[in-house]
Amino acid sequence: MKKLHLVILALIFNISFAQAASPLKDKVEAAIQSYTSTRFLNATYMFCEGDETIALGAHGVRSLKNNQPLKENEQMPVASITKSMTAASILKLQDKKLLNVQDPVSKYLTAKSGIWTGSKVPAWADKVTLHNLLTHRSGLPEYFMAMKPDVTKPHAEINKDIANFAGALELKFEPGTEYSYNNTNFVLLGLIIEQVSGQSLDKFYEKELFAPLYMKETRLVTLEEALQSQTNSEDSIMPTRYFVTPTGGAPQFNEAKSEFIMVPFADGGVISTNGDLIRWHKGLHNGKVLSDESYKLMTTKHYEIPDKSGKKTYVGYGLFISTLWDGCDSYYHAGNALAIRGESGYIPSKNVYYSVLSNVMVYVPKEMQDKIDMTKPENQLDIYFFVDNVLQAIK
């Protein structure tokens, strides 16, 4: 009995010591409390130091019509955070020696692939490599908001239409010479994953990424779900999407509508939760997804890119690497779609993982742009300001 008593005391001591040994928890909680008490936030969030959750919460509305608040474990679209999963999928196929990122697109999307209209492979497909696609240095045109997908077609046919839209146009610059972020790159990577693996993208994601990492709340949504979320979001399984407009006081909410539909694929079609996105980064950055060689490729600072915030930012494969402070790097990707905002990442030097998801996007009409002072905190409604504030607290 005495031994059991000592063991219990030791466990209590160790738990207490572990809690006391995390000064970041108090800093992060204080930063969040200070921010949410004075600033606008409509988002869910999670911050972890190693395996310890140091902050978890939700602020704002899921649905104004139904008077529902956001929940901490809300399943939401992650938009372009999907690209990190697509890049890892390409590298998993390279680990299996089924492709090489230095190969041209034409090697995998051939005339016999069924992708190209009339089996005519675009001339640029011999020059653009998978590496160019992964680093946004392909020169391909952006399809989103440049073509209207025919959403009455089967999903697979829409993806082919996107590829052929790009196939019919000239490159904007020679591959590898410039940086231009665009979604077309990752649609093509998704088609390559399907061609090489012989599986649909949703099945590949589930088998190779989500199931092994126990990401039970993560999947590629169907076309039907994506259409409902973007055209009739009040009745969707996901939170209603809103545009929020700063007014100098309480922001104005309007349900988000657009004539352009974002088709769910390798460029931005995954839904997830903050908990699962933390699992994603833990698995990716702790050797549970890729070989050491492929992980190094994914996290290499391949090229420096423009960053309006003044930070040094580089492009990896499906990730951005930004220098925060004192030389500390953050590996992350943001999501930005129709009234969807998100950011999820990892700061190795602090062993911090974070994820923030939101169902609102800032919208300022042209007639108001010279009347709203965006330097004032009350008008800074985007989650960028929240993320930056919390990350500064762990400096």
Side-chain angles (χ1 to χ4, degrees), residues 172-216:
K172 296 190 295 180
F173 52 81
E174 280 298 302
T177 62
E178 298 180 36
Y179 169 84
S180 180
Y181 182 95
N182 82 68
N183 293 286
T184 309
N185 294 323
F186 276 74
V187 171
L188 292 175
L189 288 168
L191 290 171
I192 289 169
I193 291 166
E194 292 187 329
Q195 287 288 320
V196 173
S197 71
Q199 301 175 65
S200 62
L201 185 65
D202 62 324
K203 294 291 192 300
F204 188 91
Y205 278 162
E206 175 62 24
K207 180 182 176 183
E208 298 291 340
L209 304 179
F210 304 154
L213 296 178
Y214 302 99
M215 296 168 64
K216 296 181 180 180

Side-chain angles (χ1 to χ4, degrees), residues 146-163:
M147 66 165 283
K148 281 188 180 180
D150 182 352
V151 295
T152 65
K153 290 185 175 182
H155 193 175
E157 293 303 310
I158 297 173
N159 293 334
K160 292 178 186 178
D161 286 348
I162 293 170

Side-chain angles (χ1 to χ4, degrees), residues 304-314 321-322 332 384:
E304 186 173 358
I305 58 175
D307 190 320
K308 293 178 182 178
S309 69
K311 301 178 215 173
K312 278 194 171 293
T313 299
Y314 305 83
I321 304 106
S322 280
Y332 70 98
Y384 165 82

Side-chain angles (χ1 to χ4, degrees), residues 70-345:
L70 285 172
K71 299 172 291 185
E72 291 177 350
N73 63 340
E74 199 79 64
Q75 191 180 43
M76 301 172 70
V78 306
S80 288
I81 295 173
T82 302
K83 290 181 173 71
S84 65
M85 300 161 187
T86 301
S89 297
I90 288 288
L91 289 169
K92 281 191 79 71
L93 290 171
Q94 177 161 283
D95 282 339
K96 295 180 180 184
K97 303 190 184 311
L98 295 175
L99 57 72
N100 189 306
V101 296
Q102 299 303 329
D103 286 335
V105 170
S106 60
K107 183 170 181 178
Y108 304 105
L109 301 183
T110 66
K112 295 181 179 180
S113 66
I115 300 297
W116 307 112
T117 300
S119 299
K120 186 178 179 181
V121 181
W124 54 251
D126 290 328
K127 298 194 293 182
V128 175
T129 66
L130 277 61
H131 171 79
N132 297 146
L133 299 177
L134 287 160
T135 55
H136 295 289
R137 292 170 73 90
S138 66
L140 289 168
E142 170 64 74
Y143 82 89
F144 185 58
M145 298 188 74
M147 66 165 283
K148 281 188 180 180
D150 182 352
V151 295
T152 65
K153 290 185 175 182
H155 193 175
E157 293 303 310
I158 297 173
N159 293 334
K160 292 178 186 178
D161 286 348
I162 293 170
N164 282 284
F165 166 80
L169 299 174
E170 297 292 326
L171 295 178
K172 296 190 295 180
F173 52 81
E174 280 298 302
T177 62
E178 298 180 36
Y179 169 84
S180 180
Y181 182 95
N182 82 68
N183 293 286
T184 309
N185 294 323
F186 276 74
V187 171
L188 292 175
L189 288 168
L191 290 171
I192 289 169
I193 291 166
E194 292 187 329
Q195 287 288 320
V196 173
S197 71
Q199 301 175 65
S200 62
L201 185 65
D202 62 324
K203 294 291 192 300
F204 188 91
Y205 278 162
E206 175 62 24
K207 180 182 176 183
E208 298 291 340
L209 304 179
F210 304 154
L213 296 178
Y214 302 99
M215 296 168 64
K216 296 181 180 180
E217 302 297 325
T218 305
R219 61 186 174 86
L220 186 68
V221 296
T222 65
L223 176 61
E224 292 70 27
E225 288 170 327
L227 287 173
Q228 187 176 48
S229 176
Q230 294 173 72
T231 60
N232 187 23
S233 62
E234 286 288 2
D235 296 321
S236 170
I237 61 170
M238 291 169 272
T240 303
R241 303 180 183 206
Y242 296 103
F243 291 134
V244 288
T245 301
T247 64
Q252 177 183 334
F253 278 70
N254 290 294
E255 190 174 344
K257 300 289 184 182
S258 173
E259 60 180 313
F260 292 96
I261 298 295
M262 190 78 178
V263 180
F265 198 51
D267 53 331
V270 164
I271 59 172
S272 189
T273 62
N274 288 318
D276 267 11
L277 289 175
I278 296 292
R279 290 184 186 92
W280 166 241
H281 277 283
K282 285 184 178 179
L284 177 64
H285 297 291
N286 287 281
K288 295 180 181 178
V289 177
L290 300 173
S291 67
D292 290 346
E293 182 180 3
S294 286
Y295 175 73
K296 183 178 179 181
L297 268 177
M298 189 163 177
T299 56
T300 291
K301 298 175 180 178
H302 292 287
Y303 308 99
E304 186 173 358
I305 58 175
D307 190 320
K308 293 178 182 178
S309 69
K311 301 178 215 173
K312 278 194 171 293
T313 299
Y314 305 83
V315 62
Y317 283 178
L319 290 173
F320 293 101
I321 304 106
S322 280
T323 302
L324 300 179
W325 9 251
D326 300 332
C328 293
D329 285 335
S330 173
Y331 298 89
Y332 70 98
H333 207 294
N336 190 8
L338 175 66
I340 289 297
R341 287 284 287 114
E343 184 171 325
S344 182

Side-chain angles (χ1 to χ4, degrees), residues 1-19:
M1 186 59 114
K2 186 176 181 181
K3 272 189 176 180
L4 180 60
H5 181 66
L6 289 172
V7 168
I8 292 171
L9 283 175
L11 285 172
I12 292 171
F13 176 80
N14 285 335
I15 292 169
S16 299
F17 180 80
Q19 290 173 341

